[in-house]
Amino acid sequence: MSGIESADVVVIGAGIIGAACAEALSAAGVRVLVIDRGAPAGATTASGEGDVLVSDKEPGPALELAAASRRRWPELLDELRELLGPGRAEIGWDPKGGLVVATTAEAVGPLAALTAAQRAAGVAVEDLDADRAREMEPYLTEELTAVAHFPDDAQLQPVPATAALLAALRARGGEVHSGVMAEGIVADRAGAVAGVRTGVDAIPCRAVVNACGPWAGHFSETVGAPVDVLPRRGMVLVTAPLPRFVGRKVYDSGHVDTVAGGDAEPRFSAVVESTASGTVLIGSSRQGTSFDEGLEVEVLRRLARGAIGLFPRLAGVPVMRAYGGFRPCTPDRLPVIGEDPRMPGLWHATGHEGAGIGLAAATGRLLADLFTGREPVVDPEPFRVDRPEVALEAGA
Ligand SMILES: Cc1cc2nc3c(=O)[nH]c(=O)nc-3n(C[C@H](O)[C@H](O)[C@H](O)COP(=O)(O)OP(=O)(O)OC[C@H]3O[C@@H](n4cnc5c(N)ncnc54)[C@H](O)[C@@H]3O)c2cc1C
């Protein structure tokens, strides 16, 4: 016996998405137990730079979820502070804003078209001339052709945020068990969820949330209700701590296309920001659909070159380390949030690609809304499990 009793809902995965779902369900009075084969926030969530962005979303469902999450994070933070006290709810929330930068004549038109569409969709965005942009970011390149300022872009620290969400769950009587692998689902005679099979025994429950991040595709296949979620590799260069010279999130205007594009070839865009400790994080790359952990020098070189293009001063700074992670990615680049019609009681909350930290607050809320039958925080339809881009045939 593992000693784990029962729950209304077992959330599989203690990354930021599983933690946000567990917190939101427990706030709605649901008895929740979270299991993770490793440690909380020990996988993709630990790789996240922590950006909570509206600037990199095109109008449509991704932007709606991002805007809802941007509104929800500060509210959620207030709720966590009230429940846990300010110390345990410290998640490094920094509403610092973002700059999207074009450095070629060809990039001006696409950036103007994107910001016009975002503005029409209600996003706060301001066009800056080069002087104003360099007033805000004095070390930015002089090769500017257009700059857009997004005051609502923010950042938080993913690991403390996950810990705070799980602490709130525990404060409401929920449980978190590390080192417990979900190996399958126990179904009742009608084929509905009745428990989770672990390496040791089974945990009785009436619903399961698959929040396995980049492993969600694998888990869903194991239980016979596959969703198309694959890992998308990303690498980050980290400088030594420096006197702060990058104030905001700054990235090149090709980034939105890099995120949306396919994986036949590695894809790059220059993404730069500081952290509270003074290190500068340099991304971003996207490649492959396997769990290959190797760091490639050529990829790191491309990241460095792109960052120096935005901030020439970075050419002379020491790099402290590089790391990689696996974004959980769906073919249509939208997350999967909802119950699986193929197996009553099986829910999925996954596929957030490079935006799961930002999208976690609204994802948890949406899942809890759907679970409890409340008015959903955003239209759930685009994220539904049985959309053709995502639901795979069992055994195919
Ligand atoms: C380099 C990089 C930078 C990023 N930067 C940002 C950013 O700035 N902003 C942003 O919003 N997003 C960012 N992201 C994306 C973000 O990190 C992810 O979208 C998010 O962390 C996904 O969280 P998750 O909880 O779904 O997955 P994970 O954090 O991977 O959690 C899944 C958990 O499930 C567990 N698990 C898997 N299978 C099982 C099983 N069978 N049984 C038990 N446990 C299991 C794993 O151990 C893991 O802990 C970045 C990603 C990368 C790689």
Side-chain angles (χ1 to χ4, degrees):
M1 278 290 286
S2 63
I4 302 177
E5 300 291 329
S6 65
D8 295 330
V9 177
V10 174
V11 174
I12 306 172
I16 198 160
I17 296 296
C21 292
E23 188 283 331
L25 286 166
S26 71
V30 180
R31 220 160 43 94
V32 183
L33 192 150
V34 179
I35 59 172
D36 198 295
R37 63 182 178 192
T44 317
T45 295
S47 307
E49 288 154 65
D51 296 308
V52 179
L53 301 184
V54 288
S55 58
D56 66 344
K57 311 287 184 303
E58 293 180 272
L63 178 58
E64 276 165 37
L65 192 65
S69 222
R70 175 61 181 84
R71 285 192 296 275
R72 178 71 190 133
W73 266 118
E75 288 170 11
L76 182 54
L77 184 53
D78 285 345
E79 290 163 18
L80 293 173
R81 283 193 183 119
E82 196 168 326
L83 183 67
L84 304 170
R88 287 171 71 210
E90 187 42 65
I91 66 167
W93 178 252
D94 184 0
K96 62 186 183 180
L99 291 191
V100 182
V101 172
T103 55
T104 63
E106 303 77 65
V108 174
L111 178 58
L114 177 65
T115 54
Q118 289 171 319
R119 203 172 276 123
V123 175
V125 47
E126 184 192 1
D127 299 324
L128 303 183
D129 62 25
D131 288 345
R132 178 72 186 117
R134 282 173 55 80
E135 240 172 71
M136 291 175 90
E137 291 293 341
Y139 298 100
L140 200 54
T141 174
E142 289 181 12
E143 312 289 318
L144 298 171
T145 52
V147 182
H149 173 223
F150 292 81
D152 288 336
D153 279 356
Q155 191 181 23
L156 56 76
Q157 290 171 14
V159 175
T162 305
L165 292 165
L166 294 176
L169 169 71
R170 286 195 196 90
R172 299 189 187 111
E175 293 177 43
V176 183
H177 295 265
S178 302
V180 179
M181 173 94 175
E183 294 188 348
I185 281 181
V186 182
D188 65 15
R189 283 203 189 140
V193 168
V196 175
R197 215 161 24 77
T198 72
V200 183
D201 55 13
I203 309 167
C205 60
R206 67 183 170 95
V208 161
V209 180
N210 169 17
C212 293
W215 300 274
H218 175 75
F219 179 75
S220 65
E221 202 180 329
T222 307
V223 302
V227 289
D228 194 350
V229 177
L230 289 170
R232 202 180 191 199
R233 182 93 166 117
M235 292 177 211
V236 175
L237 273 172
V238 186
T239 72
L242 305 167
R244 193 161 174 122
F245 74 89
V246 182
R248 291 160 189 79
K249 171 87 180 178
V250 180
Y251 63 89
D252 82 54
S253 58
H255 182 64
V256 174
D257 284 344
T258 302
V259 175
D263 284 315
E265 296 291 328
R267 305 178 73 90
F268 301 92
S269 46
V271 176
V272 179
E273 71 191 303
S274 296
T275 65
S277 65
T279 59
V280 177
L281 304 180
I282 295 171
S284 76
S285 63
R286 283 173 160 78
Q287 63 188 131
T289 52
S290 74
F291 286 103
D292 178 356
E293 294 200 339
L295 290 174
E296 291 160 41
V297 172
E298 185 48 32
V299 171
L300 299 177
R301 204 176 273 145
R302 289 281 298 264
L303 297 182
R305 225 180 279 139
I308 291 165
L310 289 182
F311 288 95
R313 188 181 160 149
L314 281 171
V317 310
V319 167
M320 190 167 68
R321 66 189 175 96
Y323 69 87
F326 302 101
R327 304 176 183 93
C329 190
T330 59
D332 60 6
R333 308 289 183 255
L334 289 178
V336 190
I337 308 165
E339 190 171 15
D340 196 321
R342 297 166 296 185
M343 184 182 280
L346 172 63
W347 293 68
H348 304 275
T350 184
H352 295 77
E353 214 268 354
I357 311 301
L359 298 179
T363 297
R365 170 54 75 92
L366 177 59
L367 186 121
D369 290 343
L370 296 172
F371 190 84
T372 57
R374 288 188 310 224
E375 177 73 18
V377 63
V378 294
D379 178 7
E381 187 65 13
F383 310 110
R384 70 181 203 279
V385 180
D386 62 349
R387 62 189 199 263
E389 295 83 355
V390 162
L392 298 172
E393 241 173 78

